[in-house]
Amino acid sequence: MPKIRIEKRDHTGRLVWAYDSDEVERTDHYVLISAHFDRADRDDGYFVWQQGDRFLEWHYADRWYNVFKIFDRDTGAVRGWYCNITRPAVIGAGVVSADDLELDVFVFPDGRMLRKDEAEFHALDLPAADRAQAEAAAAEIERLAAAKIAPFD
């Protein structure tokens, strides 16, 4: 599999975090990558992030979010879907970047959903059009997840 670098940027376009991954699939609208969580285990209250968990990540050029499907490092079972609300990804030959807008949606395997970081999202100085796109993206994720439409299947 070809290698591809993922760059998470803040709402101003400043690089926050980058990591290398394996490209699994590419279309005109998205790139699907595989990566492993490379940080130490961390309990965020609603979810325990485990070093070594496998992520399948959809980075979309035409949607205001990305989706990380999380698989348990030991059993391979689906642990959930973490969705970042972002501006549409810029997908290049060896790099994908997107501007994170703070708002997140976590989807549990049992179908429960949790919006995260709403206060941080509302505190951002965003154009009204971007704010509306972000709110619509969170609602779309919730609709797709409730209907168990890919990648939430």
Side-chain angles (χ1 to χ4, degrees), residues 15-132:
L15 182 64
V16 175
W17 186 15
Y19 54 96
D20 294 319
S21 64
D22 295 312
E23 184 176 316
V24 175
E25 179 179 64
R26 181 184 289 252
T27 73
D28 291 339
H29 304 285
Y30 70 87
V31 64
L32 172 63
I33 66 101
S34 177
H36 287 86
F37 189 67
D38 64 356
R39 295 187 176 188
D41 289 9
R42 184 181 80 220
D43 187 344
D44 280 353
Y46 70 98
F47 187 77
V48 177
W49 301 93
Q50 299 178 148
Q51 185 175 25
D53 277 353
R54 181 171 165 252
F55 287 18
L56 281 179
E57 304 177 12
W58 287 260
H59 296 271
Y60 299 98
D62 59 352
R63 299 183 191 183
W64 283 67
Y65 59 88
N66 55 42
V67 178
F68 297 8
K69 187 174 186 177
I70 306 165
F71 298 87
D72 187 270
R73 65 184 173 201
D74 299 319
T75 68
V78 174
R79 298 187 61 227
W81 294 262
Y82 190 84
C83 310
N84 295 292
I85 307 303
T86 67
R87 291 188 181 101
V90 176
I91 301 173
V95 66
V96 172
S97 62
D99 298 343
D100 186 24
L101 301 179
E102 297 299 333
L103 186 60
D104 304 306
V105 178
F106 192 86
V107 180
F108 294 90
D110 66 6
R112 288 178 296 130
M113 292 177 239
L114 177 66
R115 280 201 189 190
K116 301 286 300 158
D117 303 327
E118 289 182 290
E120 292 83 348
F121 167 68
H122 291 296
L124 294 179
D125 182 21
L126 293 175
D130 285 10
R131 192 167 299 284

